[in-house]
């Protein structure tokens, strides 16, 4: 099943309906980027504007495969931007609360100055693909839905040898040449292993409280290069900053999430 | 009038009411951090939890002095976090749409690792205070409500000589020894001159689409040190990343905003 099908929205009635598909989970719970993609696709549909230039999700409860609803509410439809809020809910309870502004990026232009570069990485063929171990549950099932290849220097946590730096870099694309749409970029901001896996700290897991992603440009076809890093692990919380670069070397998405760091 | 008074909420009825006070404006429009502080104070009141650990605002229309309403809606009241959404509106139209999660930070702890330091700055007495020029409108009126002192290396845009780097560092406190509360930290993330003023690019102004702030710790009394920087000015948009450090050298808030960069 393609990503597009797995995030499809039925917008013929309010609230809209969708389905959390099988296989997008981490130990049974749907990946946060995948839920965000479903929610944002519904909001973009309601806004009739294709690009979430900024979208925020607060994570309330884990999602399981099955039907969901989402009720996008237009907050303001402006000349260039439409702001929308909404709740993605299972039959039992709300899963994520969303707020975003949507635009048609075709009309955007302005002066340019970029003080950063895509992560320097060996070619995809020299980066091992992360594949799920369904028996162990790790790497998680959802790794079967994407073609994700970690930078070899950041991948040794998989064999119990974290690098010591809270940094994760890698290549990403969809299998079977499925094109990357704006909602795939949202997935990209939250489908990599968490930076904490390389930090060598006694943290059990890092549940996301909130994630904000900015779509900054329409991606060229081909592999995405992604970089996730953390500078502040303190007071029971951490941020994780993401950059997503397209095959032309342009930043196409930027993200930050706030996560809790409960002790192991 | 103190910041606390200028952001006070009347929560005796729904929707809550508040007042955009005089003097918090930039050429007539209320500062975005000030509006965020009013909105977040209302949401924290509704949540009965004092700290916005993550709050997002989408800016819809400029605010002018006068009465406003805000209608906080509890999305989920959990064990540690309460998630709230709300609209801050004037008598005529919505000004900002908000979504945040609130907590009592006293209960937060976890392992620590910090890969950053507060900005290196001369003492406050050696950094000139930015004072409003009410006739010219620049520096803006709101500079009279805070005690803000720019790093001398970042302040030459005031005399027409931008540094060329989209970087702004400075000290911040309230006048008259008013203590810094969580909502003052939100103000701190959006009351400095925009980084674009030092970038030497033909950009007229940088209207904020969205700002997300994380409150990471309870500040110690004294001066705050703040740092704002931008890495990606491209495709008609830019991000501005903020860090707010307290007098003990601890990060107390982190922020990112997405702004448009219309040509001059």
């Amino acid at each position: 099943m393609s990503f597009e099908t797995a995030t499809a929205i039925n917008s013929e009635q309010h609230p809209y309906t969708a389905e959390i598909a099988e296989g997008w989970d981490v130990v049974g719970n749907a990946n946060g980027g995948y839920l965000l993609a479903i929610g944002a696709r519904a909001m973009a549909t309601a806004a009739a504007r294709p690009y979430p230039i900024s979208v925020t999700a607060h994570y309330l409860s884990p999602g399981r495969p099955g039907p969901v609803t989402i009720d996008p509410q237009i907050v303001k439809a402006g000349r260039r931007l439409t702001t929308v809020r909404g709740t993605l809910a299972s039959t039992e309870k709300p899963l994520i609360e969303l707020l975003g502004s949507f635009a048609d990026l075709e009309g955007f232009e302005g002066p340019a100055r970029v003080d950063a570069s895509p992560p320097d990485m060996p070619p995809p063929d020299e980066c091992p693909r992360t594949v799920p171990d369904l028996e162990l549950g790790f790497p998680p099932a959802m790794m079967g839905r994407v073609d994700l290849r970690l930078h070899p220097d950041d991948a040794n946590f998989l064999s119990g040898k974290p690098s010591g730096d809270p940094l994760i870099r890698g290549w990403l694309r969809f299998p079977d040449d499925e094109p990357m749409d704006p909602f795939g970029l949202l997935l990209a901001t939250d489908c990599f292993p968490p930076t904490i896996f390389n930090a060598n700290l006694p943290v059990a897991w890092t549940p996301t409280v909130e994630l904000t992603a900015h779509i900054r440009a329409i991606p060229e076809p081909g592999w995405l290069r992604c970089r996730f890093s953390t500078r502040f692990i303190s007071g029971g919380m951490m941020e994780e900053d993401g950059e997503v670069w397209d095959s032309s070397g342009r930043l196409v998405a930027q993200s930050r999430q706030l996560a809790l760091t409960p002790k192991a």
Side-chain angles (χ1 to χ4, degrees), chain A:
Chain A
M1 185 194 289
S2 69
F3 171 76
E4 190 176 10
T5 305
T7 57
I9 302 296
N10 183 337
S11 58
E12 283 171 16
Q13 70 297 312
H14 278 267
Y16 296 176
T17 56
E19 188 93 11
I20 296 179
E22 299 276 351
W24 287 90
D25 62 296
V26 178
V27 213
N29 296 326
N31 167 262
Y34 170 65
L35 291 182
L36 173 60
I38 296 174
R41 196 187 286 285
M43 295 160 88
T45 302
R49 289 187 145 153
Y51 287 91
I53 70 164
S54 174
V55 61
T56 291
H58 284 245
Y59 289 83
L60 309 169
S61 294
R64 303 272 176 172
V68 291
T69 57
I70 175 159
D71 61 340
Q73 310 280 328
I74 307 288
V75 175
K76 182 187 175 189
R79 196 173 54 84
R80 299 182 72 193
L81 300 176
T82 297
T83 303
V84 187
R85 67 168 189 240
T87 309
L88 178 75
S90 72
T91 52
E92 290 164 358
K93 56 189 168 184
L95 305 180
I96 57 174
E97 183 69 22
L98 298 137
L99 174 59
S101 287
F102 295 76
D104 183 347
L105 279 186
E106 302 283 355
F108 277 62
E109 54 178 11
R113 173 190 166 129
V114 172
D115 291 319
S117 326
D120 194 19
M121 291 197 293
D125 288 351
E126 295 170 26
C127 298
R129 181 168 177 181
T130 306
V131 291
D133 183 327
L134 295 178
E135 203 143 323
L136 198 62
F138 178 83
M142 65 152 306
M143 289 301 161
R145 300 299 190 200
V146 292
D147 185 349
L148 188 155
R149 309 196 180 192
L150 293 178
H151 191 303
D153 293 351
D154 303 340
N156 295 319
F157 72 87
L158 289 165
S159 47
K161 289 180 286 243
S163 69
D165 270 330
L167 172 68
I168 294 278
R169 293 160 295 180
W171 298 97
L172 183 75
R173 66 177 178 188
F174 286 128
D176 306 322
D177 292 322
E178 183 181 356
M180 186 62 58
D181 71 5
F183 312 103
L185 295 181
L186 297 180
L187 176 74
T189 68
D190 196 34
C191 72
F192 279 72
T195 56
I196 199 79
F197 284 178
N198 269 329
N200 244 342
L201 287 173
V203 173
W205 59 311
T206 52
T208 304
V209 173
E210 171 266 330
L211 184 149
T212 295
H214 301 165
I215 303 299
R216 296 290 300 266
I218 302 168
E220 296 293 326
W223 284 100
L224 299 174
R225 268 172 293 183
C226 305
R227 180 184 194 278
F228 299 91
S229 60
T230 295
R231 293 188 305 145
F232 301 100
I233 304 171
S234 63
M237 296 182 274
M238 60 180 277
E239 93 290 359
E240 186 172 307
D241 282 347
E243 296 167 10
V244 181
W245 302 77
D246 75 0
S247 60
S248 76
R250 192 168 47 166
L251 181 88
V252 291
Q254 197 173 22
S255 65
R256 174 173 289 162
Q257 64 170 270
L258 182 74
L260 303 179
T261 58
K263 275 185 185 158

